Amino acid sequence: MIKVLVNGALGRMGCTVVNAVKADSELELVGAVDAYEGEVEGVKVETNLDAALKKYSPEVMVDFTRPNVVFDNVMTALENKVSPVVGTTGLSDEAKEKIRELAEKNNTPAFIAPNFALGAVLMMLTAQKIAKYMPDVEIIELHHDKKLDAPSGTAELTAKMIAEVRPSHKQGHPDEVERLSNVRGADYDGIRIHSVRLPGYVAHQEVIFGGLGQTLTIRHDSTGRDSFMPGVVLACKKVRNLRGLTVGLDKILD
Ligand code: NAP
């Protein structure tokens, strides 16, 4: 049994993770932490992460909290030699580099996935393949209106993966003018990213490729938070066998 502590246990994702960990025969839920005390699925929720890690000695800490606290949470886990499995988005490249350094120094593997849904990972890998042949591409990500950060980690990672294979170039008309600011979206190496926030959505993304006389669109929809759970459970089981920092669910799929 792998001992797991869930941080952010009272949140939308956190309480789904609590259930998934409890339901898995190879995982044992030993603790739950959030910003406020409470109870989830009969499990007491505490507020001091460092104290809870010391008290319960988990092997893995799953983090679904907030972009402004996730870095400190991960560093606290690594200082306690507990492997973080991180779903919280918003970590900068610089923060990830510091996480990598501490993970290596403390010989405690860490895992981050901007998207734990298998379909989303397949969408990103497919987008990267298509971009070699259709390099003009825009990304539209759509999420619920409680999401704090934009663009989504998935959209950013998709753009990064496409940029690895796509010759850098500016898209659209060279003399294009934005009459409303940012109406053309964010610019990642020439790739436009558009973020939609509305009630009713969970997590969705379209990647649209344009070519001569044709377009090709791929789309992934997470219609429920359970879509992320097989990926989270897999990461809990595999993280201790990794080294340093691993980013992306595709790295641990067989
Ligand atoms: P949420 O419902 O707001 O849950 C976050 C929880 O963390 C809340 O209960 C929050 O408490 C708590 N929290 C805040 N500060 C904390 C701290 N210092 N220590 C412990 N807990 C703290 O958000 P969510 O929808 O579950 O999403 C959480 C994160 O996961 C977001 O970054 C989201 O983008 C990401 N996400 C990732 C994936 C993926 O596949 N990687 C999928 C879905 C979502 P308060 O509300 O009291 O602040």
Side-chain angles (χ1 to χ4, degrees), residues 166-202:
R166 166 191 180 273
S168 176
H169 66 282
K170 194 174 179 313
Q171 294 179 184
H173 196 287
D175 300 329
E176 180 178 87
V177 173
E178 286 189 322
R179 290 188 299 102
L180 285 177
S181 66
N182 301 324
V183 71
R184 290 282 293 117
D187 185 330
Y188 187 103
D189 199 29
I191 303 165
R192 294 290 174 171
I193 303 178
H194 313 268
S195 297
V196 178
R197 296 289 176 267
L198 283 172
Y201 283 129
V202 178

Side-chain angles (χ1 to χ4, degrees), residues 29-48:
L29 183 76
V30 295
V33 173
D34 203 285
Y36 291 96
E37 284 181 4
E39 195 185 293
V40 56
E41 299 298 322
V43 180
K44 184 171 178 271
V45 178
E46 302 170 36
T47 53
N48 187 325

Side-chain angles (χ1 to χ4, degrees), residues 8 13 28 48 50 91 103 112 114-115 119 145 167 179 185 208 214 226:
M13 285 297 291
E28 182 189 2
N48 187 325
D50 187 54
L91 280 167
I112 300 173
N115 201 314
D145 62 347
R179 290 188 299 102
I208 308 173
Q214 58 189 318
D226 45 355

Side-chain angles (χ1 to χ4, degrees), residues 1-4 21 23-28 59 233 236-237:
M1 295 284 269
I2 300 163
K3 291 182 185 174
V4 179
V21 170
D24 194 280
S25 58
E26 291 173 44
L27 304 180
E28 182 189 2
E59 287 150 282
V233 165
C236 288
K237 292 177 185 174

